[in-house]
Amino acid sequence: MGPMKRFKVRRILIEREAENDSLSKKIIEKLPNIPRERVGSNELALWEDIEEMDKDSLRLIHYKGEFLKPCPGTRRYICCGYQILNVGINCPMDCSYCFLQSYVNQPSLRLFTNLEDKLNVIGEFIDNHPERIFRIGTGEFTDSLALNYITGWTHFLLPFFSSRKNCILELKTKTSFTKDIINSRYKKRIVIAWSLNTSRIIANEEEKTASLKERIISARECQKAGFVVAFHFDPLLYYSGWENEYEEIIQLLERYIDPTSIIWISIGSFRYMPDLKWHILKRFPDTHIFDGEFITGLDGKQRYFKPIRVEMYAKLSERLKKWYDNLGIYFCMESDDVWEQSLGWSPKNSSNLSKYLDNRVRMVMPA
Amino acid sequence: MMKKNLLKSSLVNIVISDIDLTPGPFCMSFHFNLEPLKGSIEKYGVINPPYLLRNPDNNFLVVAGYARLMAVIELGWHDIACHVLPDSFSLFNALLFNLNDNLIHRQFNSIEKGMILQRLTHFISTEEIVTNFMPILGIPSNKQQLELFLGLDELEERIKISIAIEQLSIRVAGLLRHIDKNDRLKINNLFTSLKWSFNQQWETIQWIKEIASREGCSINKIINSKDINEVLHNTTMNKPQKVKAIVRILKFRRFPSLSKAEKLFIKGVSNLSLPLGVKIIPPPFFEGTDYKLEVTFRKGEDLKEKLANLCNVPELKHIPDFWKGI
């Protein structure tokens, strides 16, 4: 497998209201030879495009909703109190397990072109709550860096968040597209994060993403350039031989990464709303992600039977701690008893997990 | 929509050998019982003559009345009075004509619904079919359902019959499409030879598929496993008992840890010697942490006695641990 390549854009769909937004103009300038179509915001998409997600079309949208929103988390499990900066929806990569396949009912890579114009509103909100620490990420509904070479998101987001003392911006990615940010002057309050998985899962279930090694080498380069980094073992998948293969990831981390400037490492096992399964099986009929023992969780999502989760979390976190004992390990959407059994302690509730992570910010990225 | 003046047809006596009797572009009949119809025709004749369209080969296509024609052939008729629709009558209108003719006097089985939808795709868009025709056929109006019904045509005759006579769930049929031919015939046999509810079929087919995926073996091998075969050939069990036993075997293979935990829990609780009418219920799938106590009693005195006895069961303190040794 060669190095990760930039994604090909087949067409640009421009909603009428987005035409005059600054980001639209920049994107059109960047891609002058790509066919463009003007579309209305209410125009119905084709069934086929919705199903296949139309991942090679950009749709430029003047977003009317809130750009900064708390992560919805999940009922009855402990969540981290993250804030999502909604820069767009959908992603040019194609992970079999991606929740967007059932979450999104509109196709194309949807980019919100008035983001830059709305930053002042977000800034005002953050500045009006100096007592809080805002942990903000753009990687929930899209990949934070996959389309950055087109959108130039980091050109305006890095300076904007770097200048604020009560927030951090986490750019979460499965790419190796760090060239554009590595030379940035704005590294303060910025966390570059990678989702990690075994080489087998990356090859079989994470189409068009960077290889494991590429991700870790990119992380090393970012660390060397002065960025704080984070890692997310999510979704953890259980299969015969998982332990040895996750061990390989940690060995790579040990070889390339300085653990002292990792702000946190999250771990979350594969979980999904029941409906997602049918979308996945349709698009990825040969996937093995459903092979494990899934039960219905307290929030209605399917997740591994608890002893399996505990086994995976305990082994992985113990191994990570052996590497470095202060990595800010936390679980994504897990219950108090799973925390206790896997890690030997529990934040007990979401509010305490938030505090724990806020303290990680204070410790690793002092204002 | 059809115009009201489209039904100008001529009643003509047609030699049956001049009619193309392969299920044509308007046919929406599958696995029908001709006997009652033959009986009626013998007694009263063909009350509603079939409708035909002349086709370019100078023979006739059946628009409506396919079953009636099949019946009269079996009765040995040589010719039959039919309405011949004008040549200007479009193929789409002929299809709608037959659909409406059928809709007023019978219900379609799922295979027939699939045939109708399949035929409509030659004339109108997916969106039109979903919006205008699926509700008429009593199918939820969405693309997934449309695909499900259109895909039924790919299945073997034996499986189609199982679906038509409602021995096999339509949802299961949707999954069968993506399974190797021999495997799906095997599944069809398993589901039709015993009495399975549709929910049991649905759960079981998923388990079988997932076991095959995880263990890297064929579906055939799973169904042919020694323990399932033993159940199938057991002469002391009735059909529902066999279904339950097969479900248990497959559940244990699909969810080994969960099944073991459930077994351990049941064993642990049964060793407690709980008072009669007292039950301890674990959280679903052991995911939560709260257990429930259920006490059945008739009078307050009875309840007091049971609770007092319960307090004297020292092993109660081990309750959450029963299943944790998996």
Side-chain angles (χ1 to χ4, degrees):
Chain A
M1 208 167 75
M4 189 175 185
K5 291 189 181 118
R6 290 179 167 186
F7 304 100
K8 274 190 186 154
V9 176
R10 177 170 61 96
R11 60 176 180 170
I12 304 174
L13 307 169
I14 310 164
E15 290 192 4
R16 288 187 186 91
E17 288 162 302
E19 278 173 337
N20 296 319
D21 289 336
S22 54
L23 195 55
S24 301
K25 288 173 186 161
K26 281 183 201 169
I27 290 169
I28 291 164
E29 252 174 56
K30 268 260 165 73
L31 303 170
N33 300 321
I34 305 293
R36 297 193 288 266
E37 277 173 51
R38 291 173 79 195
V39 291
S41 54
N42 296 326
E43 261 168 51
L44 288 177
L46 296 172
W47 289 102
E48 290 71 24
D49 283 348
I50 294 173
E51 265 174 14
E52 280 313 308
M53 301 181 81
D54 191 29
K55 281 170 175 271
D56 52 5
S57 299
L58 298 181
R59 190 175 180 111
L60 310 186
I61 295 166
H62 185 92
Y63 186 57
K64 287 171 186 151
E66 295 278 327
F67 275 95
L68 190 65
K69 274 188 200 163
C71 173
T74 198
R75 286 178 300 124
R76 303 183 66 183
Y77 290 94
I78 299 171
C79 292
C80 68
Y82 202 64
Q83 300 279 328
I84 297 166
L85 181 63
N86 205 355
V87 297
I89 299 179
N90 206 346
C91 159
M93 292 173 280
D94 214 358
C95 298
S96 63
Y97 52 76
C98 181
F99 78 103
L100 291 173
Q101 292 168 101
S102 66
Y103 185 86
V104 173
N105 58 3
Q106 292 292 331
S108 315
L109 303 171
R110 306 171 80 81
L111 304 174
F112 301 146
T113 48
N114 51 332
L115 169 66
E116 198 173 355
D117 313 326
K118 288 281 180 185
L119 279 181
N120 54 341
V121 180
I122 297 165
E124 208 173 293
F125 180 70
I126 293 169
D127 296 343
N128 283 339
H129 295 85
E131 75 292 351
R132 281 179 64 180
I133 286 188
F134 291 86
R135 284 172 282 108
I136 299 168
T138 57
E140 194 70 12
F141 298 122
T142 185
D143 184 280
S144 298
L145 295 179
L147 296 171
N148 194 44
Y149 68 95
I150 295 170
T151 61
W153 281 323
T154 53
H155 291 151
F156 55 89
L157 292 179
L158 264 50
F160 178 82
F161 284 100
S162 259
S163 66
R164 290 184 156 76
K165 290 187 174 158
N166 61 332
C167 70
I168 61 104
L169 175 70
E170 182 177 29
L171 301 171
K172 213 184 281 183
T173 189
K174 285 184 184 129
T175 71
S176 52
F177 296 166
T178 47
K179 230 180 192 173
D180 287 347
I181 54 172
I182 240 149
N183 296 322
S184 170
R185 287 189 291 130
Y186 306 100
K187 297 183 176 93
K188 266 171 81 177
R189 323 302 295 169
I190 307 298
V191 176
I192 318 291
W194 279 266
S195 295
L196 298 181
N197 226 316
T198 64
S199 292
R200 179 198 302 259
I201 298 297
I202 291 173
N204 296 339
E205 310 290 350
E206 297 183 351
E207 270 180 32
K208 298 181 189 167
T209 64
S211 71
L212 174 64
K213 197 162 178 190
E214 278 182 299
R215 295 183 206 183
I216 291 177
I217 297 284
S218 302
R220 181 176 70 166
E221 283 165 3
C222 284
Q223 266 196 331
K224 278 189 175 168
F227 283 105
V228 163
V229 299
F231 297 102
H232 300 279
F233 286 85
D234 199 342
L236 219 54
L237 286 150
Y238 189 85
Y239 55 89
S240 167
W242 72 270
E243 211 177 329
N244 291 338
E245 295 187 10
Y246 280 97
E247 165 66 25
E248 281 169 25
I249 306 177
I250 300 172
Q251 284 178 8
L252 276 175
L253 289 172
E254 278 177 329
R255 193 182 319 163
Y256 292 109
I257 301 297
D258 168 14
T260 61
S261 74
I262 292 175
I263 189 163
W264 46 60
I265 292 182
S266 79
I267 306 177
S269 62
F270 178 44
R271 54 210 175 273
Y272 60 95
M273 288 307 285
D275 186 43
L276 176 62
K277 185 173 179 179
W278 308 113
H279 291 274
I280 292 176
L281 287 175
K282 186 144 195 228
R283 299 190 66 233
F284 302 94
D286 298 324
T287 183
H288 281 277
I289 59 175
F290 299 113
D291 287 358
E293 279 187 69
F294 292 95
I295 53 97
T296 305
L298 304 174
D299 53 358
K301 286 183 187 168
Q302 297 292 300
R303 42 178 72 218
Y304 289 118
F305 182 42
K306 201 192 285 184
I308 295 169
R309 296 188 337 254
V310 168
E311 182 199 341
M312 293 187 85
Y313 294 153
K315 284 183 174 161
L316 189 59
S317 48
E318 196 183 328
R319 179 63 185 85
L320 284 165
K321 279 198 261 178
K322 213 170 118 190
W323 170 37
Y324 187 67
D325 197 24
N326 193 12
L327 289 169
I329 294 171
Y330 71 98
F331 298 135
C332 188
M333 300 181 196
E334 266 307 346
S335 58
D336 172 46
D337 59 324
V338 167
W339 272 80
E340 281 287 354
Q341 289 174 51
S342 313
L343 216 50
W345 78 280
S346 164
K348 302 283 177 204
N349 55 44
S350 299
S351 161
N352 286 343
L353 177 56
S354 272
K355 282 179 200 156
Y356 168 74
L357 294 173
D358 290 349
N359 283 335
R360 290 291 304 177
V361 172
R362 291 188 189 99
M363 193 179 83
V364 181
M365 308 176 91
Chain B
M1 281 288 138
M2 275 192 295
K3 288 178 196 166
K4 280 181 185 168
N5 61 359
L6 287 177
L7 293 180
K8 282 180 187 164
S9 61
S10 45
L11 196 61
V12 186
N13 218 43
I14 306 277
V15 176
I16 292 174
S17 59
D18 285 344
I19 303 172
D20 181 352
L21 289 166
T22 51
F26 319 115
C27 177
M28 47 191 74
S29 300
F30 180 82
H31 197 68
F32 43 87
N33 180 4
L34 279 183
E35 293 312 311
L37 188 56
K38 277 162 64 183
S40 158
I41 291 173
E42 271 186 317
K43 263 190 188 171
Y44 306 109
V46 177
I47 297 166
N48 296 309
Y51 281 80
L52 308 177
L53 253 185
R54 200 181 299 273
N55 82 12
D57 299 338
N58 223 16
N59 63 1
F60 295 92
L61 285 173
V62 184
V63 174
Y66 183 73
R68 278 162 271 171
L69 283 164
M70 293 291 119
V72 298
I73 289 169
E74 286 201 11
L75 291 170
W77 288 24
H78 169 264
D79 54 57
I80 179 173
C82 296
H83 290 287
V84 178
L85 291 161
D87 292 344
S88 59
F89 203 81
S90 75
L91 297 181
F92 180 46
N93 276 332
L95 178 63
L96 293 182
F97 179 87
N98 190 26
L99 174 61
N100 284 287
D101 183 48
N102 277 275
L103 271 174
I104 50 168
H105 68 267
R106 71 178 184 107
Q107 289 205 322
F108 295 109
N109 63 46
S110 293
I111 299 296
E112 291 171 333
K113 288 177 185 179
M115 290 168 79
I116 295 164
L117 296 173
Q118 182 72 55
R119 281 148 175 73
L120 285 167
T121 58
H122 299 305
F123 301 106
I124 53 175
S125 71
T126 300
E127 282 72 17
E128 273 180 279
I129 295 173
V130 170
T131 315
N132 299 330
F133 288 90
M134 289 176 73
I136 295 173
L137 297 173
I139 306 171
S141 303
N142 61 61
K143 176 86 185 308
Q144 288 74 19
Q145 285 290 319
L146 177 62
E147 276 185 9
L148 175 63
F149 277 84
L150 291 179
L152 297 178
D153 194 41
E154 299 163 18
L155 297 169
E156 291 69 29
E157 191 79 355
R158 264 157 63 192
I159 299 179
K160 283 186 187 172
I161 291 171
S162 305
I163 298 164
I165 60 176
E166 296 186 357
Q167 272 193 337
L168 191 71
S169 122
I170 180 97
R171 275 213 294 177
V172 168
L175 282 189
L176 289 184
R177 277 175 59 210
H178 308 291
I179 289 174
D180 168 77
K181 182 186 166 186
N182 290 329
D183 284 346
R184 64 186 178 219
L185 286 169
K186 191 87 192 165
I187 289 172
N188 183 54
N189 282 349
L190 178 71
F191 286 162
T192 51
S193 62
L194 301 174
K195 194 117 185 93
W196 297 73
S197 73
F198 281 0
N199 280 342
Q200 283 170 326
Q201 288 183 359
W202 178 239
E203 206 165 51
T204 304
I205 183 142
Q206 288 182 75
W207 292 350
I208 292 174
K209 272 190 76 183
E210 286 160 5
I211 292 167
S213 164
R214 184 171 61 199
E215 297 181 6
C217 63
S218 73
I219 284 172
N220 204 4
K221 197 177 164 195
I222 295 165
I223 298 176
N224 273 336
S225 66
K226 196 176 155 231
D227 40 6
I228 292 182
N229 259 317
E230 274 171 13
V231 173
L232 288 172
H233 295 108
N234 187 315
T235 48
T236 61
M237 293 166 114
N238 63 26
K239 284 184 177 180
Q241 284 170 333
K242 285 184 181 183
V243 168
K244 270 190 184 169
I246 293 170
V247 166
R248 240 191 336 263
I249 289 166
L250 288 169
K251 188 188 170 192
F252 200 87
R253 193 158 165 188
R254 176 66 187 88
F255 301 101
S257 310
L258 176 65
S259 303
K260 209 171 160 194
E262 284 171 346
K263 236 180 168 173
L264 285 172
F265 183 80
I266 291 167
K267 196 177 163 199
V269 171
S270 69
N271 287 342
L272 290 177
S273 315
L274 294 173
L276 211 66
V278 173
K279 263 189 193 170
I280 290 168
I281 301 158
F285 313 108
F286 302 99
E287 178 63 13
T289 46
D290 297 334
Y291 290 69
K292 285 180 188 168
L293 176 71
E294 187 184 285
V295 183
T296 310
F297 63 96
R298 286 193 175 166
K299 291 181 178 173
E301 272 308 306
D302 186 20
L303 173 64
K304 274 175 78 178
E305 196 187 317
K306 281 183 178 174
L307 292 178
N309 288 341
L310 196 61
C311 291
N312 290 326
V313 180
E315 293 85 359
L316 280 183
K317 64 181 179 195
H318 301 307
I319 280 179
D321 306 330
F322 293 151
W323 62 274
K324 290 191 174 163
I326 59 163

